[in-house]
Amino acid sequence: MSHFVGPVVVFGAAGQVGRELLKKPSIGLPVVGFTHGDVDISDAAAVRVVISRIGPSVIVNAAAYTAVDKAESDAERAFAVNEQGARNLAQAAQSHGSALIHISTDYVFDGRKREPYLEDDPVNPLSVYGRSKQAGERLVAAECERHIILRTAWVCGMYGSNFVKTMLRLADERDVVRVVADQRGTPTSAGDLAAAIFAIITMLSEGHDVFGTFHLTNSGATTWHGVAAHIFAWLAANGGVAPRLDAITTAEYPTPAARPSYSILDCGRILQAYGVALRPWERALDDILSSLHNDPAEQQWSGT
């Protein structure tokens, strides 16, 4: 039986995870979503008004400035959303006694480790985006007692722009696609993340209060080249034409923002605390590809 009386409020409702959270709520609580157009989380007064009006049991912060390369020249806005926005939600959650589930990133690490990162490993972000997300984590932990920080990685899904849709678009446009093969991590399904968040909320509602920082990705690991190879193999097996795939190094594909060369996350802590473990990334990716293939509204591979 739920101890919660208020709804779940999702900020970032138009994003990859936000769309999934609102698509099929699997909990016995109402879920209310706000897009950036509805509420700019960097506006503390706007956040306070919404939280006061709704009185949520749980706030999910799926809102973020996620344009990793653009953030290098737009640091002020990245920090406004990822640091100040996180603080505004944490303070509102604390003042109303709400739990806060805050989505963060593997990019808080520098990638120098060569075994999966634990939650307590030192952070050392390489990019403006990573630094802004790490600053947000710090404020969430400081300002809200009942917080769960979920670090995830390489999120992809049916909605918005992501690597999977980019690869499908390039497969349509090119005979040869070159993809970086020296960055290791774990693709994570937005839908699987949403389902896990609902599982956590259900346990919270039953009085299972375990708070702190947790890692949560699909299981297994690969490179961006490995993800592309899987996508193109799926295309070929499902009647599509797959381009030739060439492996390149990070140095051959310079970007404004530096990325960790290794950002595999150890997800043992959340399994122990909440019994949550996500399936292998390959199975999750197959489902995303099938959904995109079968949904005419999402046939625009490059997203919206």
Side-chain angles (χ1 to χ4, degrees):
M1 180 166 151
S2 175
H3 296 118
F4 288 166
V5 290
V8 175
V9 171
V10 176
F11 290 92
Q16 294 194 83
V17 179
R19 289 274 296 271
E20 294 286 352
L21 286 165
L22 290 169
K23 185 167 74 175
K24 45 175 187 258
S26 55
I27 51 175
L29 290 168
V31 179
V32 182
F34 294 97
T35 67
H36 173 72
D38 299 324
V39 181
D40 180 349
I41 63 168
S42 69
D43 182 339
V47 168
R48 282 196 300 269
V49 167
V50 167
I51 300 305
S52 297
R53 175 164 57 84
I54 295 177
S57 296
V58 181
I59 298 167
V60 181
N61 183 22
Y65 184 111
T66 57
V68 177
D69 289 319
K70 187 181 175 189
E72 294 296 308
S73 57
D74 193 19
E76 186 176 352
R77 183 62 192 158
F79 273 88
V81 176
N82 294 343
E83 179 184 32
Q84 301 308 322
R87 181 179 67 177
N88 294 338
L89 293 179
Q91 290 177 338
Q94 181 70 15
S95 65
H96 287 274
S98 310
L100 173 62
I101 298 177
H102 174 77
I103 300 174
S104 193
T105 176
D106 57 322
Y107 281 22
V108 299
F109 296 116
D110 61 18
R112 290 182 187 147
K113 201 176 176 187
R114 282 298 174 266
E115 58 187 14
Y117 277 97
L118 301 169
E119 287 83 353
D120 299 326
D121 282 333
V123 294
N124 184 33
L126 302 176
S127 62
V128 168
Y129 166 72
R131 288 195 293 276
S132 70
K133 290 296 290 181
Q134 195 262 318
E137 284 188 5
R138 193 173 62 245
L139 289 171
V140 165
E143 300 281 357
C144 180
E145 293 171 35
R146 304 179 72 235
H147 72 270
I148 293 174
I149 295 167
L150 293 179
R151 289 189 189 131
T152 190
W154 298 18
V155 176
C156 53
M158 283 185 65
Y159 306 112
S161 299
N162 57 56
F163 181 81
V164 176
K165 289 187 177 182
T166 298
M167 288 301 105
L168 290 168
R169 175 173 55 79
L170 292 178
D172 277 344
E173 296 172 357
R174 300 184 186 177
D175 296 326
V176 180
V177 175
R178 304 166 76 234
V179 178
V180 169
D182 58 358
Q183 294 173 21
R184 290 190 62 76
T186 307
T188 304
S189 157
D192 287 6
L193 267 182
I197 288 168
F198 282 137
I200 292 165
I201 291 171
T202 297
M203 293 186 71
L204 287 173
S205 76
E206 295 165 351
H208 184 83
D209 288 0
V210 183
F211 298 108
T213 299
F214 302 91
H215 291 166
L216 182 58
T217 67
N218 282 103
S219 62
T222 186
T223 63
W224 292 114
H225 180 273
V227 182
H230 190 92
I231 293 166
F232 294 162
W234 185 94
L235 266 182
N238 287 272
V241 177
R244 192 182 88 210
L245 177 62
D246 288 353
I248 59 171
T249 65
T250 298
E252 291 175 271
Y253 187 76
T255 55
R259 287 156 169 80
S261 62
Y262 181 100
S263 61
I264 299 165
L265 303 180
D266 184 305
C267 299
R269 180 183 284 183
I270 198 155
L271 175 60
Q272 186 175 18
Y274 284 96
V276 169
L278 302 188
R279 60 188 166 156
W281 68 266
E282 297 95 334
R283 303 290 75 77
L285 182 51
D286 286 345
D287 279 359
I288 292 166
L289 290 164
S290 296
S291 297
L292 286 168
H293 187 66
N294 294 328
D295 187 341
E298 291 296 328
Q299 287 286 331
Q300 295 301 311
W301 301 123
S302 57
T304 53

